[in-house]
Amino acid sequence: MKHSSSVEQFLILTIIASSAAMLPLTLSEIHLGATRAWENTVLSLNPSAERAYAYGVVHFSSSQRDAYDIDRAEYFFRRAIALNNRQPLAYHQLARIAFLRGEFSQAMTYINNELFLNPEPSPSSYYMRGLIRGYMGDYPEAVTDYQMYLTRKPANWAGFNDFAWVLVKDNRPAEAWEIVLHGLASYPTNPWLLNTGAIASYELGETERARSMALDAARFALALSEKDWLVAYPGNDPAVAQEGISTLYTAIMQNIHRASVVTATPATQTP
């Protein structure tokens, strides 16, 4: 009991000192500082890979705006690995962070570590590797990863969407269109799938269909909330949610314009 009391007093003093040092901050900032002091202290007193990983997840969740801190999340995931090199999903999370920073080679190293060290890798790790490979321009290998992901998790709209995207990039728009159709059967109002369907249709020369799908995508994109966007991009900074929605809408409008120009061209040509 005496030891427990000493620990409690130490934690209280640490939190008070941390909070006082940050004045005059807002109450939410003081609370966040106290929480971080608590995390550091508990992890020092009782090192645990599972605890370090859990703290990292808290700071890498777009649903927790006040706690979101990608650098702190990285610190905890690294601590988890230092405590247990085989901590499930720790390398996966580091791959996500490196990807968000545009460090694709580093992200690939992390995700390969995850898939090598984890005896039961999450389907999401194949998705992540497919995404990284797609951004690195390695489209055939990305296709393989998305196939492995969808075999294990066949009811995910983002999987269909990104699989179709790499197929388009790999000059396989007909296959991309089929994947989009599979996705739309379950998610008919998803603006991402509709926009990818518009791109695949355009590449197939189906410009009327491309324009129609892009118009539908724009209509549903306008109805997106920040929460919707954060669900689609769970590791992204909540502060950029509105910017993300605007970027999606701008891309859709560009596809509408591109399809409209091609569609209108024959009518404006002279014999």
Side-chain angles (χ1 to χ4, degrees), residues 166-228:
V166 295
L167 285 168
V168 169
K169 300 296 286 186
D170 199 33
N171 297 314
R172 297 158 67 177
E175 293 173 70
W177 171 245
E178 292 301 319
I179 294 299
V180 168
L181 286 181
H182 279 299
L184 289 174
S186 299
Y187 308 96
T189 64
N190 185 282
W192 288 274
L193 277 170
L194 287 165
N195 189 48
T196 301
I199 295 170
S201 296
Y202 182 88
E203 295 298 325
L204 288 168
E206 299 285 350
T207 53
E208 287 282 4
R209 187 175 71 195
R211 182 174 182 275
S212 176
M213 293 193 76
L215 285 169
D216 284 342
R219 178 160 56 93
F220 292 117
L222 282 174
L224 285 175
S225 66
E226 288 192 8
K227 182 178 179 181
D228 294 328

Coordinates of all heavy atoms in Angstrom, one line a residue, residues 166-228:
V166 N -5.8 1.1 -59.1 CA -4.5 0.6 -59.6 C -4.7 -0.2 -61.0 O -3.8 -0.2 -61.8 CB -3.8 -0.3 -58.6 CG1 -3.4 0.4 -57.4 CG2 -4.6 -1.6 -58.2
L167 N -5.9 -0.8 -61.2 CA -6.2 -1.4 -62.5 C -6.2 -0.3 -63.6 O -5.7 -0.6 -64.7 CB -7.5 -2.2 -62.4 CG -7.4 -3.5 -61.6 CD1 -8.9 -4.0 -61.4 CD2 -6.6 -4.5 -62.4
V168 N -6.8 0.8 -63.3 CA -6.8 1.9 -64.3 C -5.4 2.3 -64.6 O -5.0 2.5 -65.7 CB -7.7 3.1 -63.8 CG1 -7.5 4.3 -64.7 CG2 -9.2 2.7 -63.8
K169 N -4.6 2.5 -63.5 CA -3.2 3.0 -63.7 C -2.4 1.9 -64.4 O -1.4 2.3 -65.1 CB -2.6 3.2 -62.3 CG -3.3 4.3 -61.5 CD -3.2 5.7 -62.2 CE -1.8 6.3 -62.1 NZ -1.8 7.7 -62.6
D170 N -2.8 0.7 -64.4 CA -2.1 -0.4 -65.0 C -2.7 -0.7 -66.4 O -2.4 -1.7 -67.0 CB -2.2 -1.7 -64.2 CG -1.1 -2.7 -64.6 OD1 0.0 -2.3 -65.0 OD2 -1.4 -4.0 -64.5
N171 N -3.5 0.3 -66.9 CA -4.1 0.3 -68.3 C -5.0 -0.9 -68.4 O -5.0 -1.6 -69.5 CB -3.0 0.2 -69.4 CG -2.1 1.5 -69.4 OD1 -2.7 2.6 -69.3 ND2 -0.8 1.3 -69.4
R172 N -5.8 -1.2 -67.4 CA -6.8 -2.3 -67.4 C -8.1 -1.7 -67.0 O -8.7 -2.2 -66.1 CB -6.3 -3.4 -66.5 CG -5.0 -4.0 -66.9 CD -4.2 -4.7 -65.8 NE -4.9 -5.9 -65.3 CZ -4.4 -6.7 -64.3 NH1 -3.2 -6.4 -63.8 NH2 -5.0 -7.7 -63.9
P173 N -8.6 -0.8 -67.8 CA -9.9 -0.1 -67.4 C -11.1 -1.0 -67.4 O -12.1 -0.8 -66.6 CB -10.0 1.0 -68.4 CG -9.3 0.6 -69.6 CD -8.1 -0.2 -69.0
A174 N -11.1 -2.0 -68.3 CA -12.3 -2.9 -68.4 C -12.4 -3.7 -67.0 O -13.5 -3.9 -66.5 CB -12.2 -3.9 -69.5
E175 N -11.3 -4.2 -66.5 CA -11.3 -4.9 -65.3 C -11.6 -3.9 -64.1 O -12.3 -4.3 -63.2 CB -9.9 -5.5 -65.0 CG -9.5 -6.6 -66.0 CD -8.1 -7.1 -65.8 OE1 -7.8 -7.7 -64.8 OE2 -7.3 -6.8 -66.7
A176 N -11.1 -2.7 -64.2 CA -11.4 -1.7 -63.2 C -12.9 -1.5 -63.1 O -13.5 -1.4 -62.1 CB -10.7 -0.4 -63.5
W177 N -13.6 -1.4 -64.3 CA -15.0 -1.2 -64.4 C -15.8 -2.3 -63.7 O -16.7 -2.0 -63.0 CB -15.4 -1.0 -65.8 CG -16.9 -1.0 -66.0 CD1 -17.7 -1.9 -66.7 CD2 -17.8 0.1 -65.5 NE1 -19.0 -1.5 -66.6 CE2 -19.1 -0.3 -65.9 CE3 -17.6 1.2 -64.8 CZ2 -20.2 0.4 -65.6 CZ3 -18.8 2.0 -64.5 CH2 -20.0 1.6 -64.9
E178 N -15.3 -3.5 -63.9 CA -16.0 -4.7 -63.3 C -15.9 -4.6 -61.7 O -16.8 -4.9 -61.0 CB -15.4 -6.0 -63.8 CG -15.7 -6.3 -65.3 CD -17.2 -6.3 -65.5 OE1 -17.9 -6.9 -64.7 OE2 -17.7 -5.8 -66.6
I179 N -14.7 -4.2 -61.3 CA -14.5 -4.1 -59.8 C -15.4 -2.9 -59.3 O -16.0 -3.1 -58.2 CB -13.1 -3.8 -59.5 CG1 -12.2 -5.0 -59.9 CG2 -12.9 -3.5 -58.0 CD1 -12.5 -6.3 -59.2
V180 N -15.5 -1.8 -60.0 CA -16.4 -0.7 -59.5 C -17.8 -1.2 -59.5 O -18.5 -0.9 -58.5 CB -16.3 0.5 -60.5 CG1 -17.4 1.5 -60.2 CG2 -14.9 1.1 -60.3
L181 N -18.3 -2.0 -60.4 CA -19.6 -2.5 -60.4 C -19.9 -3.4 -59.2 O -21.0 -3.3 -58.6 CB -19.9 -3.3 -61.7 CG -20.1 -2.5 -63.0 CD1 -20.4 -3.4 -64.2 CD2 -21.3 -1.5 -62.8
H182 N -18.9 -4.2 -58.8 CA -19.0 -5.0 -57.6 C -19.2 -4.1 -56.4 O -20.1 -4.4 -55.5 CB -17.8 -5.9 -57.5 CG -17.8 -7.1 -58.3 ND1 -18.8 -8.1 -58.2 CD2 -16.9 -7.5 -59.3 CE1 -18.5 -9.1 -59.1 NE2 -17.4 -8.7 -59.7
G183 N -18.4 -3.1 -56.3 CA -18.5 -2.2 -55.2 C -19.8 -1.4 -55.2 O -20.4 -1.3 -54.1
L184 N -20.3 -0.9 -56.3 CA -21.5 -0.1 -56.3 C -22.7 -0.9 -56.0 O -23.8 -0.4 -55.6 CB -21.6 0.5 -57.7 CG -20.7 1.7 -58.0 CD1 -20.8 2.2 -59.5 CD2 -20.9 2.9 -57.1
A185 N -22.6 -2.2 -56.2 CA -23.8 -3.1 -55.9 C -24.1 -3.0 -54.4 O -25.3 -3.1 -54.0 CB -23.5 -4.6 -56.3
S186 N -23.1 -2.8 -53.6 CA -23.4 -2.6 -52.1 C -23.3 -1.2 -51.7 O -23.9 -0.8 -50.7 CB -22.3 -3.4 -51.4 OG -22.4 -4.8 -51.7
Y187 N -22.6 -0.3 -52.4 CA -22.4 1.1 -52.0 C -22.8 2.0 -53.2 O -21.9 2.7 -53.8 CB -21.0 1.3 -51.6 CG -20.5 0.3 -50.5 CD1 -19.8 -0.8 -50.9 CD2 -20.8 0.5 -49.2 CE1 -19.3 -1.7 -49.9 CE2 -20.3 -0.4 -48.2 CZ -19.6 -1.5 -48.6 OH -19.2 -2.4 -47.7
P188 N -24.0 2.0 -53.6 CA -24.4 2.8 -54.8 C -24.3 4.3 -54.8 O -24.3 4.9 -55.8 CB -25.9 2.4 -55.0 CG -26.4 2.0 -53.6 CD -25.2 1.4 -53.0
T189 N -24.2 4.8 -53.6 CA -24.1 6.3 -53.4 C -22.7 6.8 -53.0 O -22.5 7.9 -52.6 CB -25.1 6.8 -52.4 OG1 -24.8 6.3 -51.1 CG2 -26.5 6.4 -52.8
N190 N -21.7 5.9 -53.1 CA -20.4 6.2 -52.6 C -19.7 7.1 -53.7 O -19.4 6.6 -54.8 CB -19.6 4.9 -52.4 CG -18.2 5.2 -51.8 OD1 -17.3 5.6 -52.6 ND2 -18.0 5.0 -50.5
P191 N -19.3 8.3 -53.4 CA -18.8 9.2 -54.4 C -17.4 8.8 -54.9 O -17.0 9.1 -56.0 CB -18.7 10.6 -53.6 CG -18.7 10.2 -52.2 CD -19.5 9.0 -52.1
W192 N -16.6 8.1 -54.0 CA -15.3 7.7 -54.4 C -15.4 6.6 -55.5 O -14.8 6.7 -56.6 CB -14.5 7.1 -53.3 CG -14.0 8.2 -52.3 CD1 -12.8 8.9 -52.4 CD2 -14.6 8.6 -51.1 NE1 -12.7 9.7 -51.4 CE2 -13.8 9.6 -50.5 CE3 -15.8 8.3 -50.5 CZ2 -14.1 10.2 -49.3 CZ3 -16.1 8.9 -49.3 CH2 -15.3 9.9 -48.7
L193 N -16.3 5.6 -55.3 CA -16.5 4.6 -56.3 C -17.1 5.1 -57.6 O -16.7 4.7 -58.7 CB -17.4 3.5 -55.7 CG -16.8 2.4 -54.8 CD1 -17.9 1.6 -54.1 CD2 -15.9 1.5 -55.6
L194 N -18.0 6.0 -57.4 CA -18.6 6.6 -58.6 C -17.6 7.4 -59.4 O -17.6 7.3 -60.7 CB -19.8 7.5 -58.2 CG -21.1 6.8 -57.7 CD1 -22.0 7.8 -57.0 CD2 -21.8 6.2 -58.9
N195 N -16.7 8.1 -58.8 CA -15.7 8.9 -59.5 C -14.7 7.9 -60.2 O -14.3 8.2 -61.3 CB -15.0 9.8 -58.5 CG -14.0 10.7 -59.2 OD1 -14.4 11.4 -60.2 ND2 -12.8 10.8 -58.7
T196 N -14.3 6.9 -59.5 CA -13.4 5.9 -60.1 C -14.1 5.2 -61.3 O -13.5 5.0 -62.3 CB -12.9 4.8 -59.1 OG1 -12.3 5.5 -58.0 CG2 -12.0 3.9 -59.7
G197 N -15.4 5.0 -61.1 CA -16.2 4.4 -62.3 C -16.2 5.4 -63.4 O -16.2 4.9 -64.6
A198 N -16.3 6.7 -63.2 CA -16.3 7.6 -64.2 C -14.9 7.6 -65.0 O -14.9 7.7 -66.2 CB -16.5 9.0 -63.6
I199 N -13.9 7.5 -64.2 CA -12.5 7.5 -64.8 C -12.4 6.2 -65.7 O -11.9 6.3 -66.8 CB -11.4 7.5 -63.7 CG1 -11.5 8.8 -63.0 CG2 -10.1 7.3 -64.3 CD1 -10.6 8.9 -61.7
A200 N -12.8 5.1 -65.2 CA -12.7 3.8 -65.9 C -13.5 3.9 -67.2 O -13.1 3.5 -68.3 CB -13.1 2.6 -65.1
S201 N -14.7 4.5 -67.1 CA -15.6 4.6 -68.2 C -15.0 5.5 -69.3 O -15.0 5.3 -70.5 CB -17.0 5.2 -67.8 OG -17.6 4.3 -66.9
Y202 N -14.4 6.6 -68.8 CA -13.7 7.5 -69.8 C -12.6 6.8 -70.5 O -12.5 7.0 -71.8 CB -13.2 8.7 -69.0 CG -12.5 9.8 -69.9 CD1 -13.2 10.8 -70.4 CD2 -11.1 9.7 -70.1 CE1 -12.6 11.7 -71.3 CE2 -10.5 10.6 -70.9 CZ -11.3 11.7 -71.5 OH -10.7 12.6 -72.3
E203 N -11.8 6.0 -69.8 CA -10.7 5.3 -70.4 C -11.2 4.3 -71.4 O -10.5 3.9 -72.4 CB -9.8 4.6 -69.4 CG -9.1 5.6 -68.5 CD -8.1 6.5 -69.2 OE1 -7.5 6.0 -70.2 OE2 -8.0 7.7 -68.8
L204 N -12.4 3.8 -71.2 CA -13.0 2.8 -72.1 C -13.7 3.5 -73.3 O -14.3 2.8 -74.2 CB -14.0 1.9 -71.4 CG -13.4 0.9 -70.4 CD1 -14.5 0.3 -69.5 CD2 -12.7 -0.2 -71.2
G205 N -13.7 4.8 -73.3 CA -14.4 5.5 -74.4 C -15.9 5.8 -74.2 O -16.6 6.3 -75.0
E206 N -16.4 5.4 -73.0 CA -17.8 5.5 -72.6 C -18.0 6.9 -71.9 O -18.2 7.0 -70.7 CB -18.2 4.4 -71.7 CG -18.1 3.0 -72.2 CD -19.2 2.7 -73.2 OE1 -20.1 3.5 -73.3 OE2 -19.1 1.7 -73.9
T207 N -17.9 8.0 -72.8 CA -17.8 9.3 -72.2 C -19.2 9.8 -71.6 O -19.2 10.5 -70.6 CB -17.3 10.3 -73.2 OG1 -18.1 10.2 -74.4 CG2 -15.9 10.1 -73.6
E208 N -20.3 9.3 -72.2 CA -21.6 9.7 -71.7 C -21.8 9.1 -70.3 O -22.2 9.7 -69.4 CB -22.7 9.2 -72.6 CG -22.8 10.0 -73.9 CD -23.5 11.3 -73.7 OE1 -23.9 11.7 -72.5 OE2 -23.7 12.1 -74.7
R209 N -21.4 7.8 -70.2 CA -21.5 7.1 -68.9 C -20.5 7.8 -67.9 O -20.9 7.9 -66.7 CB -21.2 5.6 -69.1 CG -21.4 4.8 -67.8 CD -21.2 3.4 -68.0 NE -19.8 3.0 -68.2 CZ -19.3 1.9 -68.7 NH1 -20.2 1.0 -69.1 NH2 -18.1 1.6 -68.9
A210 N -19.3 8.1 -68.4 CA -18.4 8.8 -67.5 C -18.9 10.1 -66.9 O -18.8 10.4 -65.7 CB -17.1 9.0 -68.2
R211 N -19.5 10.9 -67.8 CA -20.1 12.2 -67.3 C -21.2 11.9 -66.3 O -21.3 12.6 -65.3 CB -20.6 13.0 -68.5 CG -21.1 14.3 -68.2 CD -21.5 15.1 -69.4 NE -21.9 16.5 -69.1 CZ -23.2 16.8 -68.8 NH1 -24.1 15.8 -68.8 NH2 -23.6 18.0 -68.5
S212 N -22.1 11.0 -66.6 CA -23.2 10.7 -65.8 C -22.8 10.2 -64.4 O -23.3 10.7 -63.4 CB -24.1 9.6 -66.4 OG -25.2 9.3 -65.5
M213 N -21.8 9.4 -64.4 CA -21.3 8.9 -63.1 C -20.6 10.0 -62.3 O -20.7 10.0 -61.1 CB -20.3 7.7 -63.3 CG -21.0 6.4 -63.9 SD -20.0 5.0 -63.8 CE -20.1 4.6 -62.0
A214 N -19.8 10.8 -63.0 CA -19.1 11.9 -62.3 C -20.2 12.9 -61.7 O -19.9 13.4 -60.6 CB -18.2 12.6 -63.3
L215 N -21.2 13.1 -62.5 CA -22.3 14.0 -61.9 C -22.9 13.4 -60.7 O -23.2 14.1 -59.7 CB -23.4 14.2 -63.0 CG -23.0 15.2 -64.1 CD1 -24.0 15.1 -65.3 CD2 -22.8 16.6 -63.6
D216 N -23.1 12.1 -60.7 CA -23.7 11.5 -59.5 C -22.7 11.5 -58.3 O -23.0 11.8 -57.2 CB -24.0 10.0 -59.8 CG -25.3 9.8 -60.6 OD1 -26.1 10.8 -60.6 OD2 -25.5 8.7 -61.1
A217 N -21.4 11.4 -58.7 CA -20.3 11.4 -57.7 C -20.3 12.8 -57.0 O -20.2 13.0 -55.8 CB -19.0 11.1 -58.3
A218 N -20.5 13.9 -57.8 CA -20.5 15.2 -57.3 C -21.6 15.5 -56.4 O -21.5 16.1 -55.3 CB -20.5 16.2 -58.5
R219 N -22.8 14.9 -56.8 CA -24.0 15.1 -56.0 C -23.8 14.5 -54.6 O -24.2 15.1 -53.6 CB -25.2 14.5 -56.7 CG -26.5 14.6 -56.0 CD -27.7 14.4 -56.9 NE -27.6 13.2 -57.7 CZ -28.1 12.0 -57.3 NH1 -28.8 12.0 -56.2 NH2 -28.0 10.9 -58.1
F220 N -23.3 13.3 -54.5 CA -23.1 12.6 -53.3 C -21.9 13.2 -52.5 O -21.9 13.2 -51.2 CB -23.0 11.1 -53.5 CG -24.2 10.5 -54.0 CD1 -24.3 9.9 -55.2 CD2 -25.4 10.5 -53.2 CE1 -25.5 9.3 -55.6 CE2 -26.6 10.0 -53.6 CZ -26.6 9.3 -54.9
A221 N -20.9 13.7 -53.2 CA -19.8 14.3 -52.5 C -20.2 15.6 -51.8 O -19.7 15.9 -50.7 CB -18.7 14.6 -53.5
L222 N -21.1 16.3 -52.3 CA -21.6 17.5 -51.7 C -22.3 17.2 -50.3 O -22.4 18.1 -49.5 CB -22.6 18.2 -52.6 CG -22.0 19.1 -53.7 CD1 -23.1 19.6 -54.6 CD2 -21.2 20.2 -53.2
A223 N -22.8 16.0 -50.2 CA -23.5 15.6 -49.0 C -22.5 15.0 -47.9 O -23.0 14.7 -46.8 CB -24.6 14.6 -49.3
L224 N -21.3 14.9 -48.3 CA -20.3 14.3 -47.3 C -20.1 15.3 -46.1 O -20.0 16.5 -46.3 CB -18.9 14.1 -48.0 CG -18.8 12.9 -48.9 CD1 -17.4 12.9 -49.6 CD2 -19.1 11.6 -48.2
S225 N -20.0 14.7 -45.0 CA -19.7 15.4 -43.7 C -18.2 15.2 -43.4 O -17.6 14.3 -44.0 CB -20.6 15.0 -42.6 OG -20.3 13.6 -42.2
E226 N -17.7 16.0 -42.5 CA -16.3 15.7 -42.1 C -16.2 14.3 -41.5 O -15.2 13.7 -41.6 CB -15.9 16.8 -41.1 CG -15.6 18.2 -41.7 CD -14.9 19.1 -40.7 OE1 -14.5 18.6 -39.7 OE2 -14.8 20.3 -41.1
K227 N -17.2 13.9 -40.7 CA -17.2 12.6 -40.1 C -17.1 11.5 -41.2 O -16.4 10.5 -41.1 CB -18.4 12.4 -39.3 CG -18.5 11.0 -38.6 CD -19.7 10.9 -37.7 CE -19.8 9.5 -37.0 NZ -21.0 9.4 -36.2
D228 N -17.8 11.7 -42.3 CA -17.8 10.7 -43.4 C -16.4 10.6 -44.0 O -15.9 9.5 -44.2 CB -18.7 11.1 -44.6 CG -20.2 11.1 -44.2 OD1 -20.6 10.2 -43.3 OD2 -21.0 11.9 -44.7

